[in-house]
Amino acid sequence: MKEKILNAIAKNSKISKEDLAIMLGYDEIRIEQEIKEMEEEGIICGYPTLINWDNVNCEKVTALIEVKVTPQRGQGFEKIAERIYKFDEVETVYLMSGGFDLTVMIVGKNMQEISNFVWNKLAPLESVTSTATYFVLKKYKEHGLALVNGVSEDERMLITP
Amino acid sequence: MRNPLSKTIEEIKPSGIRKFFDIVSEMKDAISLGVGEPDFDTPWHIREEGIYSLEKGRTFYTSNAGLKELKIEICRYLKRRFDLEYNYEDETLVTVGGSEAIDAAMRVMIDPGDEVLIPEPCYVSYLPCVQLAYGVPVGIPLQEKNQFKLTKQEVLDNITEKTKILVLPFPNNPTGAVMTKEDLQEIAEVCVEKDIFVLSDEIYAELTYGQRHTSIASLPGMRERTIVINGFSKSYAMTGWRLGYATGPSEIIKQMIKVHQFAIMCAPTTSQYAAIEALRNGDADVERMSTAYDQRRRFLVESFKRMGLECFEPFGAFYVFPSIQKFGMSSEEFATRLLQEQKVAVVPGTAFGDSGEGFLRISYAYSIDNLKIALVRIEEFIKTLEK
Ligand SMILES: Cc1ncc(COP(=O)(O)O)c(C=O)c1O
């Protein structure tokens, strides 16, 4: 049941509990309980909105930074990851396998702001040994949804057998 | 000048759907719950395979019965999903949609005057295809009280010396009715006893809710007397690719290949390549889409209940078939007024046979958001009727 609820709200967190109850065939009170439980258990961690900032008249720059670090004795990567993700500008932090250790995505007003962050905050951290910064030019798809303009039209004929 | 037309074609009535389509297309900004095809686009990996086949220059005819790889995948699929065993060599024919398969099957099995039992309401093409093959269609009006299932008694009541074929259209368009294994067993017994062949249109087989589809061909004694029709249109959202298939005893399929070979040559090559991908890697897509249909189905049934529109719970396809008998008007009148007054297009039950009178076919091949808008309008309309 949890999985069914999650699958339904993953693509549309705005869906009402009432609709969810009808669509999944459970009663509303149970749905509400399950969702509350999952919020408490840290399964559902938030309900952000997917925004295509390119279509908003306000400047925003996203950068992806590959970070190499030396893990600290006894703490592995946890400590350094935490020190990085606590910055407000940081949107995303992943621990990676392969050629580098952490992927850090950050959002700023402009390139200047992002390079300031890298030079003044990220690179100087003791265990960070190197960074490589890539600026995002355009976003096509996020969270499984294409960031396209407008709603696509229903091109089917109105009546078919 | 002589009449250029044959008596046969002049006897065939134009489709009732067509008439309603003409009215609807005059109507600007109508919203429609009238389509018989998925709202999903064909899954990308399947489309991609079609594109790739074009890039590779696979733009030639295939062999008449279809690509060998595709026929092999079809047989594997039928075994995997419905426990049906066919060999790809002479028991499988790839066609231009289920539509062509229905036509070809009628043509190779009917002699002039043979009777074909057609449970109604049903999809629009069985009856004219029987007529075009010089057969005699015999409608069996299905009952709402039986949830629009076909019963053994109804078959027995309509059998004559001349009865040769029974069309078995389940999961059903337009009612959404399904037949369980037990229901089918009763029908199968009659068919074996009375030596009747079955044309089982299983195009909606993947779209059943809360139960798996059973094919009558998997029941004892039925494989040798059943042609199974299926296709890619509904299960993989591939209506425009025009691809379907028929499987059955080689004695019949071989002759259908003959009709197909002369009338069609072969099914579209690009579509055949895409279909191989669908069968190999499309199970998750089918699951995803049928889950979405199921949610919408619950949503519609629940909403109709709330607004006092009587409706038996359908367990297949993507239609609900509510009754409008209590409003004291014909299906066509109801549908026309709903369109004019609230700009919602639905299909009158009578488009699928006279026994559809008193019902509407409402499709849920639409997003929940679209359904909601339409439901508000339908409720509004019903309120004006109840005043
Ligand atoms: C019951 C039924 N059978 C067959 C068909 C034909 O489908 P296709 O020719 O696209 O395979 C349809 C299409 O609406 C249908 O509803």
Side-chain angles (χ1 to χ4, degrees):
Chain A
M1 171 171 182
K2 285 203 162 96
E3 204 177 323
K4 278 192 186 166
I5 296 177
L6 291 173
N7 280 330
I9 63 175
K11 289 263 158 86
N12 178 11
S13 60
K14 259 174 69 180
I15 188 168
S16 74
K17 308 240 160 72
E18 188 190 352
D19 287 355
L20 209 50
I22 296 171
M23 285 161 55
L24 302 181
Y26 300 112
D27 73 63
E28 212 177 314
I29 296 170
R30 257 201 84 197
I31 298 254
E32 213 154 315
Q33 273 169 0
E34 292 284 338
I35 290 183
K36 190 147 167 277
E37 246 175 72
M38 290 192 284
E39 286 169 352
E40 285 163 6
E41 287 165 7
I43 295 174
I44 298 174
C45 305
Y47 300 90
T49 306
L50 180 58
I51 297 169
N52 188 354
W53 287 103
D54 289 349
N55 291 346
V56 182
N57 229 345
C58 89
E59 283 205 47
K60 262 186 199 295
V61 181
T62 305
L64 183 150
I65 310 167
E66 296 175 358
V67 183
K68 284 190 190 164
V69 300
T70 29
Q72 281 150 325
R73 174 177 290 239
Q75 296 173 326
F77 291 98
E78 299 303 306
K79 188 83 194 162
I80 181 66
E82 184 180 343
R83 287 194 68 179
I84 295 174
Y85 74 63
K86 287 217 157 151
F87 286 110
D88 282 344
E89 327 47 349
V90 172
E91 289 265 296
T92 305
V93 178
Y94 300 138
L95 178 61
M96 310 297 291
S97 67
F100 60 100
D101 304 307
L102 296 171
T103 294
V104 176
M105 305 261 294
I106 88 159
V107 178
K109 277 203 198 67
N110 47 42
M111 277 164 81
Q112 192 60 43
E113 206 177 279
I114 287 176
S115 46
N116 279 344
F117 174 82
V118 177
W119 288 119
N120 299 328
K121 307 229 164 98
L122 191 60
L125 288 173
E126 236 172 85
S127 38
V128 170
T129 56
S130 80
T131 65
T133 304
Y134 307 90
F135 287 97
V136 172
L137 300 181
K138 184 170 178 188
K139 294 182 183 175
Y140 292 100
K141 189 176 183 183
E142 271 192 348
H143 296 285
L145 295 170
L147 301 171
V148 288
N149 291 333
V151 214
S152 66
E153 257 185 55
D154 192 344
E155 293 178 45
R156 291 176 293 173
M157 293 192 293
L158 288 173
I159 300 274
T160 48
Chain B
M1 196 170 77
R2 291 192 298 168
N3 182 355
L5 303 175
S6 73
K7 290 194 189 70
T8 314
I9 198 67
E10 285 189 318
E11 265 168 29
I12 293 177
K13 283 188 278 179
S15 153
I17 282 232
R18 185 73 225 175
K19 197 168 112 199
F20 208 69
F21 175 79
D22 292 339
I23 306 175
V24 174
S25 35
E26 297 281 293
M27 198 83 170
K28 288 269 174 312
D29 57 78
I31 49 177
S32 174
L33 300 184
V35 306
E37 60 180 323
D39 57 318
F40 298 101
D41 291 332
T42 305
W44 179 250
H45 66 104
I46 299 172
R47 280 189 270 167
E48 226 275 331
E49 204 58 42
I51 295 168
Y52 181 68
S53 84
L54 290 174
E55 276 176 358
K56 291 277 274 188
R58 290 172 174 157
T59 53
F60 308 108
Y61 295 129
T62 69
S63 64
N64 294 131
L67 288 167
K68 179 176 156 191
E69 297 99 297
L70 176 56
K71 289 187 293 174
I72 291 173
E73 289 302 333
I74 288 170
C75 294
R76 282 194 186 140
Y77 164 85
L78 291 174
K79 173 74 187 139
R80 175 159 59 90
R81 305 291 283 188
F82 310 114
D83 204 24
L84 293 173
E85 297 207 31
Y86 292 102
N87 78 49
Y88 72 89
E89 280 158 328
D90 56 3
E91 294 181 323
T92 308
L93 167 63
V94 180
T95 55
V96 180
S99 305
E100 190 220 337
I102 293 166
D103 182 49
M106 299 295 187
R107 290 208 232 182
V108 306
M109 293 170 74
I110 295 173
D111 274 321
D114 283 348
E115 291 180 0
V116 178
L117 301 180
I118 306 178
E120 290 177 342
C122 70
Y123 180 57
V124 296
S125 83
Y126 313 123
L127 188 138
C129 283
V130 170
Q131 289 175 311
L132 284 170
Y134 309 106
V136 180
V138 177
I140 304 181
L142 300 183
Q143 307 293 323
E144 190 192 20
K145 67 173 197 295
N146 301 328
Q147 302 189 305
F148 291 105
K149 291 175 184 209
L150 177 66
T151 64
K152 180 178 177 174
Q153 196 55 46
E154 288 166 332
V155 179
L156 287 172
D157 290 347
N158 286 281
I159 287 181
T160 70
E161 310 259 272
K162 298 209 179 106
T163 307
K164 181 154 188 197
I165 303 173
L166 166 68
V167 174
L168 205 59
F170 297 97
N172 186 271
N173 172 10
T175 65
V178 296
M179 298 273 282
T180 63
K181 189 168 182 185
E182 294 71 39
D183 299 330
L184 290 170
Q185 256 150 1
E186 294 209 327
I187 306 295
E189 279 164 25
V190 181
C191 295
V192 172
E193 192 191 314
K194 304 280 182 185
D195 193 15
I196 289 170
F197 295 92
V198 169
L199 186 152
S200 186
D201 183 350
E202 304 182 16
I203 199 111
Y204 289 101
E206 288 288 0
L207 304 180
T208 59
Y209 312 107
Q211 58 201 85
R212 296 241 356 113
H213 169 76
T214 303
S215 173
I216 195 164
S218 67
L219 302 183
M222 289 309 293
R223 186 189 185 284
E224 59 265 37
R225 55 178 64 252
T226 304
I227 291 289
V228 174
I229 311 272
N230 206 326
F232 298 86
S233 289
K234 319 289 173 172
S235 38
Y236 297 95
M238 291 179 72
T239 46
W241 299 77
R242 307 308 306 124
L243 207 67
Y245 51 90
T247 56
S250 66
E251 191 189 358
I252 305 173
I253 292 291
K254 272 185 188 159
Q255 301 305 326
M256 286 173 67
I257 294 176
K258 212 154 77 186
V259 173
H260 173 80
Q261 156 182 15
F262 294 128
I264 302 286
M265 181 76 104
C266 71
T269 304
T270 312
S271 306
Q272 292 193 53
Y273 280 104
I276 294 173
E277 169 66 17
L279 292 174
R280 284 188 184 153
N281 298 309
D283 285 5
D285 302 298
V286 173
E287 170 87 27
R288 170 176 58 84
M289 293 188 275
S290 75
T291 304
Y293 290 131
D294 190 21
Q295 294 177 353
R296 300 158 179 192
R297 179 185 71 93
R298 289 170 196 282
F299 191 77
L300 270 192
V301 170
E302 190 64 29
S303 307
F304 286 152
K305 234 190 251 167
R306 219 190 41 233
M307 62 176 88
L309 203 55
E310 278 166 52
C311 171
F312 88 102
E313 185 172 357
F315 290 102
F318 36 60
Y319 310 104
V320 289
F321 204 60
S323 159
I324 47 115
Q325 282 151 2
K326 70 171 185 182
F327 300 107
M329 57 176 116
S330 72
S331 299
E332 206 169 315
E333 195 184 343
F334 189 102
T336 311
R337 279 187 57 187
L338 177 60
L339 179 64
Q340 281 161 353
E341 293 173 31
Q342 291 290 339
K343 302 204 168 165
V344 178
V346 300
V347 185
T350 42
F352 306 95
D354 293 341
S355 58
E357 184 57 270
F359 299 90
L360 302 173
R361 188 193 76 175
I362 294 184
S363 159
Y364 49 89
Y366 296 91
S367 71
I368 292 267
D369 288 341
N370 283 336
L371 292 178
K372 275 187 176 171
I373 300 171
L375 283 168
V376 170
R377 297 194 191 183
I378 294 174
E379 188 163 14
E380 214 36 54
F381 179 65
I382 289 180
K383 275 188 197 150
T384 60
L385 293 182
E386 280 170 344
K387 263 183 197 148

